[in-house]
Amino acid sequence: MNINGQNIFLKAIRNEHVPSEDDSYPFNLPIVRNLKTLEFSKSVTYIVGENGSGKSTLLEAIANLLGLNAEGGSKNFNFRTQETHSSLYEELCAVRADLSYRNAFFFRAESFYNVASEVDRIAQEDRRMLDSYGGISLHEQSHGESFMALFTNRLRSKGLYIFDEPEAALSYMNQLRFLVWMKEAVKAGSQIIISTHSPVILAYPDAEIYVAEEGRLETTSYDDCYIYRDMLAFITNKDLVIKELLGE
């Protein structure tokens, strides 16, 4: 659904868990504990934060809530190599604006190897599976090449796409190409929810950025986001930063 010029299929999620002193993971994570409603008002929404802030846990729960495989993939991917996902999704409620998207996919960098293996397994029975990923086994390509093969071949139609750290294996140039893919996906009518540590991938124009700070998700601008500011500080003061860090 196009709302104010934005592609919105998932309008918001609500956390219906009632906090208690006995809460354990993931309900003891500050951003989960303090989360009531998270709204998606843009075609592209970023959820960013330092390691351990809970952003990946939240993205995983959103993917699970939408019926996507916890380790990555679409609704048709039912494999499990290890049960590591949390029960957070059971406490979330989806506020949907539209169900007309043709594709949904959860990309999770840390378990992409398992997705590639599942693609190969299914392709042994149905060659069309491999064709939809570019015709070459994802395992027969470099890590970065396999990521790009997924983005440019499999995720082309109007869809709802969730990405957890897609920059993990991408060079600077491929991160730029990923931005181009994002533009094409949005043009095709897609909604993207994404977590990243990359100031390049974070740079998509007119996106909403939520940052985990002091246990809450707050909106920020690109120029004010720590990801951009910290990288800029390093690049513009590299020698000073290295000297302070390494004592040289």
Side-chain angles (χ1 to χ4, degrees), residues 66-118:
L66 298 175
L68 301 175
N69 188 50
E71 294 184 40
S74 67
K75 292 182 179 180
N76 296 324
F77 280 56
N78 298 313
F79 71 92
R80 291 284 190 279
T81 58
Q82 188 173 352
E83 293 287 349
T84 60
H85 61 284
S86 75
S87 60
L88 175 57
Y89 75 98
E90 297 175 353
E91 302 291 331
L92 299 181
C93 176
V95 181
R96 302 175 188 265
D98 191 357
L99 295 174
S100 67
Y101 56 90
R102 294 190 293 272
N103 198 1
F105 201 96
F106 177 35
F107 174 87
R108 189 172 193 169
E110 67 177 335
S111 54
F112 184 70
Y113 179 93
N114 301 335
V115 172
S117 298
E118 180 69 2

Side-chain angles (χ1 to χ4, degrees), residues 2 19 26 70 82-83 101 110 112 119 123 130 140 143 148 169 180 215 236:
N2 190 287
Q82 188 173 352
E83 293 287 349
Y101 56 90
E110 67 177 335
F112 184 70
V119 170
L130 199 59
E140 294 178 8
H143 204 182
M148 292 306 298
V180 174
T236 56

Side-chain angles (χ1 to χ4, degrees), residues 136-177:
I136 303 173
S137 169
L138 297 174
H139 282 313
E140 294 178 8
Q141 305 175 61
S142 74
H143 204 182
E145 287 174 330
S146 65
F147 278 26
M148 292 306 298
L150 166 69
F151 304 149
T152 57
N153 293 289
R154 173 64 175 78
L155 308 183
R156 292 184 297 177
S157 62
K158 174 183 176 182
L160 176 52
Y161 301 125
I162 301 174
F163 295 95
D164 188 18
E165 302 180 8
E167 75 277 7
L170 299 184
S171 67
Y172 167 72
M173 291 305 299
N174 273 335
Q175 288 183 43
L176 292 176
R177 292 186 179 101

